[in-house]
Amino acid sequence: RAVATRPATLGVLASPLAPGVCGRIDRANRLDVTLTFGSFASVPEADLLAGSNRLAVRAANGVFEIISFTDAEEVAAGRWRLSHLLRGQFGTTDATTAGAEAGADVVVLNDAVISLGLDQSEAGMSLNWRAEAGVTSVGPFAFSGGRRAATPLAPVHLAATCQSSGDIRLSWTRCGRADGDNWEAYDIPLDEPEERYLVEILDASGNLLRSMEVGASAFTYPASEVLTDFGALPATLRYRVRQIGWTVASGLPAEVTVPL
């Protein structure tokens, strides 16, 4: 399937990583990483934004969060403190929310890490894998992959506005898995056959009050339904939205509590 020409740089978290922010630099948290071999180097912020110093960190929910950093300091032999983090890259925002525990796996994402080459028909299938180096062979290891790459990303910029009629207008912005970096285009391409979302209205404790499917990145929550669900106009509204996909139906959720 693939040939690895050199070993990947591996490590573990020496201390927990708290949940953090996405879409901007996380200056509050640090990554304490113990490497089995190798080293890190600091880079300018421009290099960070261009893709340098990327890591995969296994979060508490089992998903690998993709994180980049600018500043690297060796605080002990083989132990590094990484800061000025750019988190939740490549749609791993759910891992950012989960955080990571001490001892979690860390993989440096450089040229040593190669794709297994799964095709679309193999997505989600449990396959047996074996690794060979000369006369040495290990495995088989059961692994299923490919579905994460087809999972719709969590929407962003969730908002809610109370109308004079008593209706509440909910809105959000769709994210795309491919060709989403064109800043001059009116909108990014739709990477599903049709645009659909699942919207869920929650109470203050997170209990589900109402759910509906909509075909656009906005929805008007009628005043009559607001009164049915809450008895009166609430001071704040908590809701969750996810895009509905074709290959993977349930996209990553985004949730917000907004004042009205």
Side-chain angles (χ1 to χ4, degrees), residues 92-155:
T92 59
T93 54
D94 53 332
T96 307
T97 303
E101 301 172 351
D105 297 320
V106 178
V107 182
V108 178
L109 298 180
N110 54 23
D111 292 342
V113 179
I114 57 176
S115 172
L116 292 177
L118 294 173
D119 62 37
Q120 188 173 2
S121 66
E122 295 173 320
M125 293 179 62
S126 181
L127 303 174
N128 290 322
W129 297 86
R130 183 180 296 276
E132 297 180 351
V135 298
T136 303
S137 177
V138 294
F141 302 101
F143 171 74
S144 59
R147 290 182 61 82
R148 179 77 188 195
T151 301
L153 304 183

Side-chain angles (χ1 to χ4, degrees), residues 23 38 40 43 49 55 65 68 92 102 108 120 148 163 176 203 244 249 252 258:
F40 293 115
V43 297
L49 299 176
L55 306 172
E65 181 184 2
S68 297
T92 59
V108 178
Q120 188 173 2
R148 179 77 188 195
Q163 310 291 304
D203 66 14
I244 299 173
L252 299 178
V258 291

Side-chain angles (χ1 to χ4, degrees), residues 200-204 206-209 230 237-240 255:
E200 298 174 311
I201 307 298
L202 311 171
D203 66 14
N207 299 310
L208 179 64
L209 298 177
F230 294 97
L237 181 68
R238 182 176 179 180
Y239 75 98
R240 181 168 55 227
E255 186 176 318

